[in-house]
Amino acid sequence: MRGTILILALVATSGHGTLAKGNDVHTRYQYLSGHGCDDMVEWDFKCTDGRHSGEWTKIGVPSCWELQGFGTYQYGMRFYGKATPEGIADERGLYKTEFSLPENWQGRQIQLVFEATFTDMYATINGRKAGNGLYQGGYTRHTIDVSDRVFFGKKKNRLEVEVAKESANQQVNLAERRADYWNFGGIWRPVFIVSKPARNISRVAINAKADGLFMADVFLNRALAGCSVGVDIVDAKGAKVGSCPAVAVASDQVTVSFSVDQPRAWTAETPILYTAVFTLRDTQGQPLHVERQRFGFRTIEYRHQYAGDQEDGVFVNGHKIKVKGVNRHSFRPESGRTLSKQKNIEDVELIKSMNMNAVRLSHYPADPEFL
């Protein structure tokens, strides 16, 4: 591979943890599905119409149900501009699965995450509504706090999900179901559990500049006056290259800002990444939660030409670049919109083989692995 692609949408990702052990302060993950189309996990399934409909059977998750032998194949273009046309395939998929959670996760915050479902979704867990009911979002990640709805240890949890191929929102259908591509239905991307300590860091927003200035907004899951947040920066080998003393929290948000001495900058051709280790501590200085985020030190700017000798264009770390890229869909003939880590890497390699350095992401959010 000749390098990486400049993706014009910057995200930070966290690594997957292992099962928790006593007083665990780390974020942990447990997958209820496979990670992609090459390691699907079977769930109970019934399709309401089309092929192999009307009876309970099995389906691999994540997947597009048409590619698994269910429902009706339909290409959206013939219904272009019509919100509720005759002859539209509007079957629903009913899913069921059971899972267990570690006994020592009791008392932690438990979140149920759907990476992408198409299109409208309604879920229950142990017979109780999960979240606020109907969810409309397609490719956008849907996270539901189910801490008060799950069992731990030997008692299993039962997850039931109903997915509608057509949205109840006509504007969603016009924008997404009536275009020039296949209208697949299903749980397209992974489903997993995120386990955090009861008092935790909900999310962080990092802005790290090429000169070493590191800034981050840290959002907590509740107001924790008197607590504090500190940050350590480590390189790919795990060596600490910078740190920020603990910053006091007044409510449920805090901003940290400090400088790292001479960091190696990220570019599309030298994709050097660091890890920020955020530690939330209680009023006695004891760690409550540790959250890790990968990031790169880089400054990306667009300059307008104000003077005759001043260059304009896109600059990365002060150097002007030419953006050479393509549009890209998440798609394979064998698996539809459900991909895998390897298939995402194949797309990157294909784009790089054409001597390109950018990809347009405005179709919809890409797989986190592609980012």
Side-chain angles (χ1 to χ4, degrees):
M1 203 165 151
R2 299 175 179 82
T4 57
I5 297 171
L6 171 63
I7 296 178
L8 302 181
L10 301 172
V11 299
T13 59
S14 57
H16 293 168
T18 56
L19 296 184
K21 296 181 180 180
N23 296 324
D24 186 30
V25 297
H26 297 278
T27 301
R28 305 297 179 183
Y29 297 80
Q30 179 175 316
Y31 274 77
L32 307 184
S33 71
H35 295 73
C37 62
D38 54 1
D39 68 345
M40 296 181 291
V41 172
E42 283 195 337
W43 290 18
D44 295 327
F45 180 73
K46 181 169 72 173
C47 191
T48 62
D49 198 10
R51 296 171 302 150
H52 298 97
S53 61
E55 60 181 359
W56 284 99
T57 180
K58 299 288 186 179
I59 193 172
V61 180
S63 68
C64 303
W65 64 57
E66 295 84 359
L67 276 301
Q68 301 301 308
F70 300 96
T72 302
Y73 278 104
Q74 192 156 73
Y75 197 74
M77 194 65 178
R78 62 180 280 219
F79 302 106
Y80 185 79
K82 302 174 184 177
T84 54
E86 293 183 4
I88 199 74
D90 62 353
E91 70 266 15
R92 292 173 294 117
L94 310 179
Y95 296 80
K96 296 179 184 178
T97 191
E98 292 186 340
F99 63 94
S100 299
L101 296 176
E103 183 73 42
N104 55 6
W105 279 12
Q106 193 157 0
R108 291 167 65 90
Q109 182 186 51
I110 306 298
Q111 296 174 317
L112 172 65
V113 181
F114 293 87
E115 200 70 75
T117 58
F118 268 80
T119 181
D120 291 359
M121 183 197 77
Y122 181 85
T124 64
I125 189 163
N126 297 323
R128 301 175 64 189
K129 180 174 68 174
N132 297 322
L134 182 66
Y135 175 70
Q136 298 173 322
Y139 282 102
T140 56
R141 175 184 287 189
H142 185 37
T143 302
I144 308 169
D145 192 322
V146 294
S147 304
D148 62 345
R149 283 160 165 70
V150 291
F151 306 117
F152 302 90
K154 295 181 180 180
K155 190 170 183 179
K156 289 190 174 182
N157 297 278
R158 185 175 185 82
L159 174 63
E160 299 177 74
V161 185
E162 179 177 324
V163 179
K165 189 168 180 174
E166 285 283 294
S167 177
N169 186 327
Q170 293 187 9
Q171 294 301 313
V172 170
N173 291 330
L174 284 171
E176 176 242 285
R177 305 268 82 179
R178 309 291 179 256
D180 58 338
Y181 42 73
W182 293 102
N183 292 341
F184 296 129
I187 300 175
W188 290 3
R189 292 179 181 170
V191 182
F192 54 94
I193 295 290
V194 179
S195 171
K196 295 182 178 183
R199 294 177 289 176
N200 62 64
I201 296 170
S202 176
R203 62 185 176 91
V204 300
I206 294 174
N207 184 11
K209 300 294 188 180
D211 63 2
L213 177 60
F214 179 92
M215 298 171 286
D217 290 327
V218 183
F219 300 87
L220 310 181
N221 71 324
R222 64 183 69 177
L224 294 174
C227 292
S228 63
V229 173
V231 186
D232 292 322
I233 307 296
V234 298
D235 63 18
K237 296 181 179 180
K240 185 189 296 187
V241 298
S243 63
C244 174
V247 178
V249 177
S251 180
D252 60 353
Q253 179 182 349
V254 65
T255 298
V256 297
S257 178
F258 62 102
S259 290
V260 173
D261 187 34
Q262 296 182 331
R264 299 176 66 194
W266 177 97
T267 73
E269 297 303 329
T270 59
I272 299 165
L273 296 180
Y274 292 82
T275 299
V277 183
F278 296 85
T279 302
L280 173 66
R281 298 182 183 275
D282 64 17
T283 54
Q284 305 302 313
Q286 297 300 309
L288 294 172
H289 183 213
V290 175
E291 187 67 274
R292 303 168 68 86
Q293 291 285 337
R294 297 174 73 203
F295 72 97
F297 285 97
R298 82 288 179 271
T299 300
I300 299 176
E301 56 187 332
Y302 176 72
R303 298 178 185 173
H304 294 276
Q305 185 172 346
Y306 295 114
D309 60 347
Q310 183 177 358
E311 286 192 292
D312 61 356
V314 177
F315 289 74
V316 176
N317 305 333
H319 299 284
K320 185 175 181 178
I321 67 166
K322 291 184 178 180
V323 176
K324 299 173 291 183
V326 290
N327 298 339
R328 181 252 185 186
H329 272 293
S330 300
F331 188 84
R332 284 295 189 283
E334 304 84 2
S335 59
R337 301 294 188 184
T338 301
L339 302 183
S340 65
K341 182 175 182 178
Q342 182 56 42
K343 285 178 168 50
N344 279 292
I345 291 174
E346 289 172 3
D347 282 356
V348 172
E349 291 176 336
L350 176 62
I351 295 169
K352 289 299 297 184
S353 73
M354 294 184 285
N355 197 31
M356 294 181 178
N357 66 355
V359 60
R360 173 176 175 253
L361 296 184
S362 56
H363 287 305
Y364 38 75
D367 291 85
E369 289 159 334
F370 181 82
L371 299 177

